Amino acid sequence: MPGTLLEQHAAALRLFGERLRAVADDQWDAPTPCTDWTVRDLVNHVAGEQLWIPPLVADGRTVEEMGDAFSGDVLGDDPVAAWDKASAAAHAAFAAPGALERTVRLSYGPALGRAYCSELTADCVVHAWDLSRGIGADDRLPDDLVEFSIKEVMPYADGLAASGMYAEPLEVPAGANAQTRLLALLGRRG
């Protein structure tokens, strides 16, 4: 089981990349559990999130300074290559000495690099599930990444629906496994 935050982050990026490599040419327009997003929209979103990390974490820039630098299509003609480049740069930015202890100025306010990395690790894990569902692939997530994501999401899960980006949390059936609990926290039915 990966132990450090950086190991968890790397594992989440690998997981998403593996699911991305399973997308067939005719699946890019397929729907996903994120009701407003196709498979391509979802991959574009997650790749775009990775693009934000180097300027915010490594360069100390702000969201305001970056403006709409990563809006629109960031995937181009080769989504896998775009993902590989963005995810490698994101991980390198978080892995740089002192990056996890640095204050990052995000759209919702300042946060430690560690908190930002944790948030994006959990987000990548959940979106790997979304992508799997969108392409009809095996949607089981690694237990250690699920447990990590539950711990990350629990403190703010109740407020996610108010952001408009998530559905209301669902009732968790008695005896539900960790993946079902995680998905329910985020309004997804496993």
Side-chain angles (χ1 to χ4, degrees):
M1 171 176 142
T4 70
L5 174 56
L6 288 173
E7 289 169 337
Q8 295 283 9
H9 182 253
L13 294 173
R14 276 192 307 276
L15 174 67
F16 191 85
E18 289 165 5
R19 304 294 164 94
L20 170 57
R21 283 171 172 72
V23 177
D25 289 342
D26 64 347
Q27 292 180 311
W28 290 103
D29 291 326
T32 69
C34 301
T35 56
D36 293 338
W37 289 341
T38 64
V39 166
R40 185 175 176 92
D41 296 332
L42 174 72
V43 172
N44 191 68
H45 164 73
V46 180
E49 286 184 323
Q50 306 317 306
L51 292 172
W52 282 96
I53 296 167
L56 296 179
V57 174
D59 302 338
R61 303 208 41 206
T62 66
V63 171
E64 293 78 20
E65 288 172 337
M66 294 303 298
D68 62 358
F70 304 119
S71 63
D73 179 30
V74 299
L75 299 177
D77 294 334
D78 191 344
V80 173
W83 166 258
D84 288 345
K85 183 177 179 183
S87 63
H91 189 71
F94 279 134
L100 296 179
E101 310 318 317
R102 193 171 296 139
T103 298
V104 182
R105 293 169 298 181
L106 303 171
S107 60
Y108 54 81
L112 281 179
R114 172 176 304 287
Y116 186 38
C117 184
S118 294
E119 176 187 331
L120 290 183
T121 299
D123 190 68
C124 196
V125 170
V126 173
H127 283 319
W129 181 85
D130 294 328
L131 180 56
S132 299
R133 280 291 176 104
I135 64 172
D138 180 2
D139 65 5
R140 286 174 294 177
L141 299 169
D143 292 341
D144 57 325
L145 289 176
V146 169
E147 291 295 339
F148 174 91
S149 299
I150 288 173
K151 288 177 187 158
E152 169 60 25
V153 171
M154 280 294 271
Y156 54 83
D158 289 341
L160 289 175
S163 73
M165 303 272 303
Y166 295 87
E168 289 290 332
L170 304 173
E171 283 290 319
V172 179
N177 66 24
Q179 180 169 316
T180 300
R181 290 193 322 270
L182 171 64
L183 297 171
L185 280 172
L186 300 171
R188 290 164 167 88
R189 243 178 248 296

